[in-house]
Amino acid sequence: MTDHGISHMRADTRTVAFLRSFLRCYLTGAAFNTRGMQNIGLMYAMLPGLAAIHEDPKDLRAALKRYARHYQSHPFWTPCMVGILLNVETTIHAGHFPPRMLGKVKDTTSYTLSAIGDSVFAGSALIFWALLTICLLLTGFPVLAFVLGLFLFLGLQVFRAYTFVSGVKQGFRFLEKLRRWDLINWGTKVKYANAALLLWLWTLIWPRPYDWWEFAVGLSALMLFGRYVRTGLLSRLLAVAVFVGLIEFFPWMETTARTAFGL
């Protein structure tokens, strides 16, 4: 980093610098690489805040090196992570936190948030939005589907801003509040709702007319495949392929059975 670049960073007040760090959180995935994952994007997001905290160019370079290591977490949690790390860097600059401990703490926190993000956001909330949107579109409510998407999108931005500010103000103490939110169990509840939405979607797309027993057979097969996927005995890709294949061949098998048994 050049001295001109450093002096330009210092022209910002700390509040403006932290705001720039927050906005850069939206770009952390742009420099994704197979070695460090999101480490370059994290350094890019941290840079304005670090420059406002560490006035000495030597301290700034040392701080940047602390984030050159491997980093990977769910993107929805990136603002929270950046806010917490900026809080920690402030305590490091004040001499109240040993820099050598940051790496281990950072990795533990990022992996924990990544697991929560994958379960709650990727595995629950995003699927809930997708399934409900499809069902609303199929039932003739496109405006409602758009409003739902807009509401969730704006809610996500509020969530990112709130977790960033809380991370900056509270640091690792904010993780205790996150623990009390019990997000993992909330993700489980959303998955139950997703199961109901999937059943609703199935009733909408099932070819008509249909007999009740056909629907019961299909539902039983889906539950059976879901159980084997959950226990790890069957891969998701193979389960979907087999299930779709059975759907395609079901009319032929039904016709064959009716012909063979005279039904």
Side-chain angles (χ1 to χ4, degrees):
M1 180 185 296
T2 64
D3 293 337
H4 173 72
I6 294 175
S7 62
H8 174 72
M9 285 289 184
R10 290 197 188 122
D12 292 335
T13 64
R14 182 168 293 194
T15 300
V16 173
F18 282 12
L19 176 60
R20 294 178 63 193
S21 286
F22 169 72
L23 295 176
R24 288 188 177 198
C25 291
Y26 288 89
L27 304 174
T28 52
F32 183 86
N33 60 91
T34 55
R35 183 175 182 179
M37 298 299 183
Q38 302 175 18
N39 63 330
I40 297 177
L42 178 64
M43 293 173 65
Y44 177 73
M46 294 286 297
L47 182 56
L50 291 177
I53 295 170
H54 300 286
E55 297 181 357
D56 189 333
K58 182 179 179 181
D59 292 341
L60 177 57
R61 292 188 179 94
L64 285 172
K65 288 181 180 179
R66 289 195 281 269
Y67 301 99
R69 296 175 51 193
H70 175 275
Y71 169 77
Q72 177 70 0
S73 190
H74 194 279
F76 291 179
W77 283 117
T78 299
C80 177
M81 193 68 193
V82 170
I84 291 175
L85 293 175
L86 290 176
N87 177 280
V88 174
E89 286 294 336
T90 302
T91 60
I92 289 176
H93 179 69
H96 302 314
F97 190 91
R100 64 179 180 275
M101 291 182 59
L102 178 62
K104 184 176 182 180
V105 175
K106 176 175 71 70
D107 291 343
T108 301
T109 305
S110 63
Y111 296 151
T112 301
L113 292 178
S114 179
I116 296 174
D118 290 341
S119 175
V120 176
F121 296 119
S124 302
L126 288 174
I127 295 176
F128 174 83
W129 163 74
L131 287 174
L132 185 54
T133 298
I134 293 172
C135 290
L136 290 174
L137 292 174
L138 291 177
T139 51
F141 295 98
V143 175
L144 189 57
F146 174 79
V147 171
L148 170 69
L150 181 62
F151 174 78
L152 293 178
F153 175 77
L154 294 177
L156 174 60
Q157 310 320 310
V158 172
F159 172 82
R160 294 169 71 108
Y162 171 76
T163 54
F164 175 79
V165 173
S166 298
V168 169
K169 291 183 177 180
Q170 304 176 36
F172 286 117
R173 289 181 290 112
F174 180 57
L175 297 177
E176 177 61 25
K177 180 179 290 187
L178 290 179
R179 187 185 67 83
R180 292 197 300 268
W181 287 2
D182 199 18
L183 292 177
I184 291 295
N185 286 334
W186 274 106
T188 301
K189 295 176 182 177
V190 175
K191 288 176 181 178
Y192 286 128
N194 291 341
L197 287 174
L198 183 61
L199 185 60
W200 183 20
L201 174 61
W202 208 359
T203 62
L204 293 174
I205 64 176
W206 193 277
R208 276 137 169 102
Y210 61 84
D211 296 324
W212 67 269
W213 65 268
E214 294 178 343
F215 192 82
V217 169
L219 180 60
S220 300
L222 183 62
M223 293 175 62
L224 183 64
F225 280 110
R227 174 171 178 79
Y228 283 117
V229 169
R230 180 179 177 82
T231 56
L233 298 177
L234 188 65
S235 69
R236 296 180 182 180
L237 183 61
L238 180 59
V240 170
V242 173
F243 189 74
V244 172
L246 290 176
I247 292 176
E248 291 294 326
F249 284 101
F250 186 80
W252 174 81
M253 291 187 294
E254 182 183 13
T255 302
T256 302
R258 290 180 181 276
T259 304
F261 296 99
L263 300 176

